[in-house]
């Protein structure tokens, strides 16, 4: 159970870090890449929170809420992983063109 708490904290720290990098970025593709990575971290936060919630409380309502969190987090992680992978191809090219 402490493993999930650690993963929740780490994913929130990564979310905060990449969201800050997104606000400070000047180049538009890099800004989109940071936004996708931050949203991936937020999805992992929701996913691990849902799993941790299953271990803390055990009732029918908990199973329903946890399944919603797990599904929503997994969907966010999947879609934003694809977006980050797409934008990552163009980050180096954008930096090269703007120097």
């Amino acid at each position: 159970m402490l493993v999930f708490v650690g993963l929740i904290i780490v994913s929130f720290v990564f979310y905060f870090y990449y969201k800050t990098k997104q606000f400070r970025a000047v180049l538009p593709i890099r800004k989109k890449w940071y936004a996708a990575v931050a949203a991936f971290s937020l999805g992992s936060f929701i996913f691990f929170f849902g799993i941790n919630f299953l271990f803390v409380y055990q009732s029918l309502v908990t199973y329903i809420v946890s399944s919603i969190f797990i599904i929503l987090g997994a969907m966010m992680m999947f879609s934003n992983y694809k977006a980050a992978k797409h934008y990552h191809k163009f980050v180096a090219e954008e930096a090269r063109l703007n120097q």
Side-chain angles (χ1 to χ4, degrees):
M1 186 161 37
L2 288 176
V3 172
F4 291 118
V5 173
L7 289 171
I8 289 169
I9 292 169
V10 167
S11 62
F12 182 74
V13 167
F14 276 132
Y15 170 73
F16 185 71
Y17 174 76
Y18 282 114
K19 202 58 153 170
T20 305
K21 295 282 274 184
Q22 176 194 352
F23 287 131
R24 297 185 71 193
V26 177
L27 303 175
I29 298 294
R30 185 165 296 193
K31 191 175 276 237
K32 288 180 182 181
W33 181 68
Y34 284 140
V37 175
F40 176 83
S41 298
L42 182 63
S44 67
F45 171 79
I46 294 171
F47 180 78
F48 292 130
F49 187 80
I51 292 174
N52 187 45
F53 202 55
L54 281 174
F55 290 114
V56 175
Y57 303 107
Q58 295 178 353
S59 69
L60 180 63
V61 175
T62 302
Y63 294 140
I64 294 169
V65 171
S66 293
S67 65
I68 291 171
F69 280 5
I70 291 169
I71 292 169
L72 180 67
M75 287 173 39
M76 285 180 67
M77 286 170 53
F78 178 72
S79 64
N80 287 302
Y81 173 75
K82 287 178 28 179
K85 188 176 168 184
H86 172 73
Y87 290 128
H88 187 66
K89 297 176 193 174
F90 303 109
V91 169
E93 181 181 351
E94 182 184 50
R96 182 182 55 82
L97 290 175
N98 287 311
Q99 287 199 12

